[in-house]
């Protein structure tokens, strides 16, 4: 790890200088630096309406692209044999993790191309790893000299290029992931050895870097991660979030997650993530997000991944449908290669999600949960609703061979209930069942007449 830069200014003065000059909007609620105050902030409405985002894990770990983005830790700290052997067999003796830095070239990285793929996916926001636990920043951080993408490797401000492309070419919201801690940073390790009584790392590195990141790039999602076992008091998370919500340039639109210190996950912050790949399968009272990976075993790119290691489009559609019906957002991760390309398998999955959403987006975007999340009679049927418009949507993942879909939950009324298949549009015949529910006659479509693959949605008007 590169040495920490010396600071010419006292840390407190430095933080004061980093704070922006603008005042909060007049009449806007002020938030105190306490969880009780911060947790009461209403989540900006755009996030719940968006439903679907793309996560991008890209960094120096994309160079070895072996095992996972935790490569450095597994190789140097845990000394797991397959990582030790990989280095022994492929790199010269004495090769350090820092030596991967210049090999992280990003020579084919084209931010416009990425933005176009993300737009085609149907996602409404994107979250880029501005810094992972390895500490390498994808922008020219003033607090990470010689271990950032402007001084080393690409010699480009990756964060700026993607931010400009996303905001100029798409309707997506731009977000950034940021790891609070760094595995091998000497100041963090020294703080850790003091049981976090010392606070050198957050004062001289993490906090000034976060202020810089927000002021420079105005992310509308700030996805925090990696507390390193330290409590939120060590990170001064509540102080930072109070500034973010009261004074920052994104104070009115920014959303944050729940990873702001040991014990805060699933308890404090903005929306809840609870754990990686979190998908409870039932309704939660608090807004949540399912962050998950197309590659089942890694967030970063893996050269040695086989075709069976990737979730199929049908599996991804199911994940989206189930997540949204239970009140969550889906944040679907891809890992680009060291030279900045999105591999064809990731691109295909994203474009196929977009094709599905082009037909069925009405049942996903800007929907609310319904009184039932899934059907009690037919498996793999999931519900969403738009109460104001009096629509309920039933998304089903298997087309019944009989052509008749039985829904045990909706109660229909003769003369006012209407049913249609999204992408087809013609009213469908239905009959009420004796106890509860309805039976819908699906249109007799050939394979080529199907509005989409991987799952379909019925729109039901005036059901209770």
């Amino acid at each position: 790890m590169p040495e920490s830069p010396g600071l010419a200014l006292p840390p407190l003065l430095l933080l004061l200088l980093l704070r922006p000059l603008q005042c909060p909007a007049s009449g806007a609620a002020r938030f105190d630096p306490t969880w009780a105050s911060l947790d009461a902030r209403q989540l900006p409405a755009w996030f719940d309406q968006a439903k679907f985002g793309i996560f991008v894990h890209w960094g120096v770990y994309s160079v070895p692209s072996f095992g996972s983005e935790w490569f450095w830790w597994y190789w140097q700290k845990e000394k797991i044999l397959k990582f030790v052997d990989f280095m022994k067999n492929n790199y010269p003796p004495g090769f350090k993790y820092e030596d991967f830095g210049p090999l992280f070239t990003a020579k084919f990285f084209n931010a416009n191309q990425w933005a176009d793929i993300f737009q085609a996916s149907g996602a409404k926001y994107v979250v880029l790893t501005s810094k992972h636990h390895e500490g390498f920043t994808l922008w020219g951080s003033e607090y990470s000299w010689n271990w950032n993408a402007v001084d080393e490797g690409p010699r480009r401000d990756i964060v700026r290029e993607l931010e400009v492309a996303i905001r100029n070419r798409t309707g997506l919201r731009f977000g950034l992931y940021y790891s609070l801690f760094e595995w091998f940073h000497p100041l963090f390790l020294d703080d850790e050895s003091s049981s976090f009584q010392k606070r050198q790392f957050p004062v001289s590195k993490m906090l000034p870097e976060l202020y810089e990141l927000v002021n420079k790039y105005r992310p509308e999602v700030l996805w925090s991660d990696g507390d390193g076992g330290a409590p939120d008091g060590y990170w001064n998370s509540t102080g930072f979030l109070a500034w973010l919500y009261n004074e920052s340039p994104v104070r009115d639109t920014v959303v944050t997650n729940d990873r702001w210190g040991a014990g805060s996950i699933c308890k404090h912050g903005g929306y809840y993530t609870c754990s990686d790949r979190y998908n409870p399968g039932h309704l939660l009272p608090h807004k949540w997000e399912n962050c998950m990976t197309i590659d089942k075993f890694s967030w970063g790119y893996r050269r040695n991944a086989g075709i069976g290691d990737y979730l199929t489009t049908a599996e991804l559609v199911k994940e989206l449908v189930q997540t949204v019906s239970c009140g969550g957002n889906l944040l679907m991760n891809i890992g680009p290669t060291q030279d900045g390309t999105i591999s064809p398998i990731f691109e295909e999955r994203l474009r196929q999600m977009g094709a599905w959403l082009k037909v069925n987006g009405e049942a996903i975007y800007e929907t609310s949960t319904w009184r039932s999340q899934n059907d009690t009679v037919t498996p793999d049927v999931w519900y969403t609703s738009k109460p104001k418009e009096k629509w309920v949507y039933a998304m089903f993942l298997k087309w019944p061979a009989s052509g008749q879909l039985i829904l045990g939950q909706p109660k229909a009324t003769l003369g006012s209930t209407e049913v249609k298949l999204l992408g087809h549009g013609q009213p469908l015949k239905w009959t009420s069942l004796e106890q509860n529910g309805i039976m819908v006659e699906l249109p007799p479509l050939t394979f080529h007449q199907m509005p989409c693959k991987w799952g379909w949605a019925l729109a039901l008007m005036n059901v209770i």
Side-chain angles (χ1 to χ4, degrees):
M1 190 68 188
E3 291 173 21
S4 303
L7 293 172
L9 294 168
L12 187 60
L13 178 59
L14 186 78
L15 286 184
L16 287 170
L17 289 172
L18 282 162
R19 293 163 74 91
L21 298 173
Q22 69 260 37
C23 299
S26 60
R30 291 284 301 184
F31 296 94
D32 299 324
T34 63
W35 285 125
S37 177
L38 297 166
D39 290 347
R41 178 183 183 249
Q42 202 170 354
L43 207 63
W46 74 261
F47 184 74
D48 179 56
Q49 292 165 1
K51 305 301 184 191
F52 179 43
I54 302 298
F55 214 170
V56 184
H57 272 66
W58 198 34
V60 172
Y61 46 82
S62 308
V63 179
S65 53
F66 176 83
S68 109
E69 70 292 341
W70 278 58
F71 183 91
W72 193 3
W73 181 264
Y74 293 152
W75 167 40
Q76 293 283 18
K77 181 69 177 178
E78 295 195 6
K79 301 191 189 307
I80 294 172
L81 194 59
K82 76 171 184 175
F83 292 89
V84 173
D85 286 348
F86 175 82
M87 290 306 297
K88 200 186 290 179
N89 296 335
N90 295 287
Y91 294 92
F95 191 96
K96 299 191 204 61
Y97 190 80
E98 293 91 319
D99 298 329
F100 283 124
L103 303 177
F104 179 48
T105 61
K107 64 186 171 190
F108 297 131
F109 171 59
N110 180 330
N112 290 341
Q113 200 174 37
W114 281 27
D116 292 348
I117 292 170
F118 299 155
Q119 175 90 322
S121 75
K124 299 297 184 186
Y125 61 105
V126 60
V127 179
L128 171 71
T129 49
S130 68
K131 183 196 81 168
H132 202 259
H133 313 324
E134 65 185 12
F136 188 91
T137 66
L138 294 188
W139 82 100
S141 166
E142 288 180 34
Y143 308 94
S144 188
W145 65 277
N146 83 346
W147 193 233
N148 69 71
V150 173
D151 293 341
E152 181 103 280
R155 302 200 177 272
R156 296 160 70 174
D157 185 339
I158 301 294
V159 175
R160 174 69 76 209
E161 288 185 39
L162 189 61
E163 181 232 340
V164 168
I166 291 292
R167 290 188 163 137
N168 286 353
R169 296 175 73 90
T170 78
L172 277 75
R173 306 268 181 164
F174 180 70
L176 291 170
Y177 164 109
Y178 181 85
S179 171
L180 301 178
F181 90 129
E182 296 172 22
W183 285 318
F184 301 113
H185 195 293
L187 291 182
F188 177 76
L189 295 175
D190 192 40
D191 289 353
E192 185 181 40
S193 68
S194 77
S195 300
F196 302 114
Q197 295 308 300
K198 290 183 189 174
R199 295 186 60 247
Q200 307 162 91
F201 180 74
V203 168
S204 65
K205 176 69 160 75
M206 163 262 175
L207 282 165
E209 204 160 65
L210 261 184
Y211 284 114
E212 178 187 69
L213 196 63
V214 172
N215 284 324
K216 247 182 133 169
Y217 305 107
R218 310 180 323 283
E220 291 185 280
V221 179
L222 190 58
W223 216 100
S224 176
D225 191 28
D227 57 46
D232 63 82
Y234 168 79
W235 299 112
N236 190 23
S237 298
T238 55
F240 172 76
L241 288 172
W243 169 81
L244 186 71
Y245 295 166
N246 289 329
E247 297 165 57
S248 82
V250 286
R251 59 187 174 270
D252 296 327
T253 56
V254 71
V255 295
T256 61
N257 64 347
D258 55 351
R259 303 187 182 196
W260 291 99
S264 77
I265 196 164
C266 222
K267 189 175 174 188
H268 294 303
Y271 62 85
Y272 292 170
T273 63
C274 300
S275 66
D276 292 351
R277 302 178 179 86
Y278 181 68
N279 189 0
H282 59 82
L283 188 62
L284 293 187
H286 191 94
K287 184 63 192 177
W288 61 283
E289 181 185 66
N290 172 5
C291 61
M292 45 72 70
T293 55
I294 296 175
D295 175 350
K296 298 174 204 172
F297 304 106
S298 175
W299 296 82
Y301 179 71
R302 291 188 306 138
R303 285 181 280 178
N304 59 326
I307 191 71
D309 294 344
Y310 297 102
L311 292 173
T312 64
T313 305
E315 288 170 323
L316 294 171
V317 165
K318 181 176 182 175
E319 197 82 15
L320 175 67
V321 164
Q322 190 174 352
T323 298
V324 172
S325 69
C326 294
N329 279 19
L330 188 71
L331 187 62
M332 185 185 291
N333 179 75
I334 60 163
T337 64
Q338 68 178 47
D339 47 22
T341 58
I342 294 171
S343 66
I345 193 143
F346 286 135
E347 181 175 348
E348 183 186 54
R349 293 291 189 272
L350 294 184
R351 290 188 183 278
Q352 288 177 336
M353 289 301 291
W356 188 85
L357 281 161
K358 208 162 192 173
V359 174
N360 301 290
E362 184 188 324
I364 297 289
Y365 306 125
E366 298 183 31
T367 56
S368 304
T369 55
W370 194 45
R371 60 173 175 80
S372 291
Q373 279 60 66
N374 59 313
D375 199 67
T376 46
V377 175
T378 304
D380 279 331
V381 175
W382 297 86
Y383 293 104
T384 58
S385 70
K386 288 184 177 168
K388 278 184 192 168
E389 294 88 348
K390 297 185 178 171
W391 286 112
V392 170
Y393 299 95
M395 293 171 279
F396 58 105
L397 303 174
K398 289 175 188 148
W399 191 278
S402 66
Q404 297 175 331
L405 183 67
I406 295 172
L407 301 175
Q409 284 300 317
K411 293 171 188 169
T413 312
L414 211 57
S416 67
T417 296
E418 291 174 29
V419 181
K420 64 177 183 177
L421 177 71
L422 294 188
H424 177 254
Q426 301 302 313
L428 303 182
K429 289 179 183 171
W430 59 269
T431 49
S432 279
L433 300 175
E434 274 184 31
Q435 298 296 319
N436 272 329
I438 60 172
M439 183 180 73
V440 179
E441 296 276 353
L442 296 173
L445 303 176
T446 65
F447 180 78
H448 295 293
Q449 291 172 323
M450 288 278 181
C452 58
K453 294 188 275 187
W454 313 296
W456 303 268
L458 292 178
L460 305 118
M461 169 68 87
N462 293 323
V463 295
I464 53 171

